Amino acid sequence: MQNIDMNDLKQDIIAYADEIGIQKIGFASADPFLELKARLEVAAKEDVLTGFEHPNIDERVYPDLIFKEPRSIIAIALAYPSKMKNEPVSRKEARRGIFSRASWGTDYHTVLREKLTLLEAFIAERVPDARFKSMVDTGEFSDVAVAERAGIGWRGKNTLLISPEFGSFIYLGEMLTNLPLASDKPMGDLCGDCNKCVEACPTGSLLGEGKMNPKICLSYLSQTKGFLDEKYRDVLHNRLYGCDTCQSVCPYNRGHDFHFHEAMEPDPELVKPELKPLLSISNKEFKQKFGPMAGSWRGKKPIQRNAIIVLARYKDKTAVPELIRCMTEDPRPVIRGTAAWALGKIGGEEAEQALLRAEEQDTEVLAEITRAKNLIGAR
């Protein structure tokens, strides 16, 4: 490694990154992420960590705990589409739900790992004793903290990374290495006095100044597997997975729609699917259709629960027979109970009679049936 000019190598890496379709690349030191540690310790104390994060805070903060002699971190960003071509229309009797943009196309974890693998091979060919540890989202690091330090963008008030060129419609990944590559300069906050994302958040999970309660973020709630608290059901709107509200209102995303990667192109029928067919989809069919998408990682149960809630919001009476089947035959209490609640929201003679005849042992499902009967009785 002594004979390698690290400045030349860095420029070669930047050029190769552009060649393989990486929109932004930045370089950061492997110093501890002490500012992140302070945020994580507060979040743990306030019990607002979701459980989806890497559980060991120190491993998220100190690179030398997960890698021998770390010298620098290479951060990458890939821009993704915000609009789909030939978007299907949600119609009466054929209502549709929506997957958030970050789950469109092939799972972004797969796409970014392929780019990082190519970068590793490119560097290893020039520096045989180089070592790497790459990660995307599910690793120890905070992708946003790394990318912010590497000058790719800044951490917005919605806690997402925002870049001047691509807004927040970017996927992030990073590579920890033993190479002493020169760091880039962090960008600094460019949100200023803008507070649009905080004001638009459907659940109030954004608290301002880059703080949030992720446990009430719709992106998180839409991925949970239990009963969704009733106060969040109406604000779910038509979401099946994730939430784009804070990105949709961000001025830095205005007019942005990037189609650089074929793998990220959405299939309109998958990212905006009809709701009723989702209620009876088999595990095999779900994996075949939705398996390649990031939005499938929690399985079909959250998607089906959310589809039921969205049908209730639309008060789709054509869904009543299928909802009755879910309430009476589905082996999963969450689906039975949510279907019962939906029948109460939709109402009508058929729904009311089904609720009156319902036989149930599970206490949570019974509570939903009672709630549904009260909804009908209040009309």
Side-chain angles (χ1 to χ4, degrees), residues 86-376:
N86 303 314
E87 181 175 352
V89 178
S90 183
R91 303 182 186 280
K92 190 176 181 181
E93 301 186 3
R95 297 296 189 180
R96 294 175 180 268
I98 190 77
F99 281 75
S100 66
R101 294 171 176 87
S103 66
W104 290 3
T106 302
D107 188 335
Y108 66 93
H109 299 83
T110 302
V111 180
L112 266 77
R113 283 182 187 125
E114 288 174 353
K115 301 296 186 187
L116 288 166
T117 299
L118 288 172
L119 272 182
E120 286 182 8
F122 176 84
I123 298 169
E125 188 176 331
R126 285 151 182 76
V127 191
D129 52 351
R131 291 183 291 107
F132 316 98
K133 180 181 175 66
S134 294
M135 57 193 85
V136 179
D137 183 43
T138 56
E140 292 89 350
F141 284 166
S142 161
D143 297 336
V144 171
V146 174
E148 185 177 32
R149 180 184 285 183
I152 286 178
W154 71 96
R155 185 174 181 271
K157 291 181 182 177
N158 57 4
T159 75
L160 300 174
L161 192 90
I162 304 173
S163 78
E165 307 93 334
F166 306 107
S168 60
F169 295 133
I170 48 177
Y171 299 126
L172 305 173
E174 57 272 341
M175 178 195 303
L176 188 57
T177 179
N178 64 331
L179 299 175
L181 298 165
S183 299
D184 292 323
K185 185 178 179 181
M187 195 168 292
D189 174 56
L190 294 180
C191 287
D193 295 331
C194 180
N195 213 37
K196 290 182 183 294
C197 59
V198 176
E199 294 165 357
C201 180
T203 62
S205 71
L206 295 178
L207 307 175
E209 300 178 0
K211 299 176 183 176
M212 77 176 299
N213 177 359
K215 282 191 171 181
I216 63 170
C217 171
L218 277 182
S219 185
Y220 166 73
L221 291 172
S222 69
Q223 300 176 56
T224 58
K225 292 187 175 183
F227 284 97
L228 185 62
D229 193 307
E230 190 171 12
K231 64 185 175 183
Y232 300 124
R233 294 178 190 178
D234 282 341
V235 294
L236 190 65
H237 194 62
N238 66 339
R239 300 172 181 88
L240 293 173
Y241 178 91
C243 178
D244 284 327
T245 298
C246 65
Q247 299 197 84
S248 298
V249 301
C250 178
Y252 284 98
N253 285 333
R254 191 172 297 132
H256 284 345
D257 179 33
F258 306 105
H259 298 265
F260 297 126
H261 307 277
E262 182 63 32
M264 295 179 185
E265 290 301 316
D267 180 334
E269 289 296 328
L270 293 183
V271 303
K272 194 175 179 182
E274 284 193 34
L275 297 168
K276 286 185 290 187
L278 290 174
L279 304 191
S280 58
I281 193 171
S282 67
N283 288 331
K284 182 179 180 181
E285 187 181 3
F286 181 82
K287 289 176 183 177
Q288 287 175 339
K289 291 183 70 173
F290 297 97
M293 294 171 54
S296 73
W297 81 283
R298 294 282 283 171
K300 71 177 185 178
K301 184 178 177 181
I303 306 299
Q304 289 178 316
R305 179 204 62 186
N306 297 341
I308 291 169
I309 293 170
V310 177
L311 284 166
R313 178 185 170 274
Y314 282 126
K315 291 185 166 51
D316 187 347
K317 290 188 181 296
T318 67
V320 166
E322 186 64 11
L323 291 171
I324 292 173
R325 184 197 63 77
C326 288
M327 179 182 71
T328 57
E329 298 178 15
D330 198 284
R332 300 161 295 175
V334 168
I335 300 300
R336 294 201 305 276
T338 306
W341 172 84
L343 289 168
K345 289 286 285 186
I346 295 170
E349 181 67 20
E350 187 179 7
E352 183 175 1
Q353 289 303 313
L355 288 165
L356 291 173
R357 292 193 304 268
E359 297 180 2
E360 182 60 59
Q361 302 298 319
D362 187 276
T363 54
E364 287 185 294
V365 179
L366 282 171
E368 294 289 347
I369 291 173
T370 300
R371 190 176 287 119
K373 289 177 180 177
N374 291 337
L375 287 169
I376 289 177

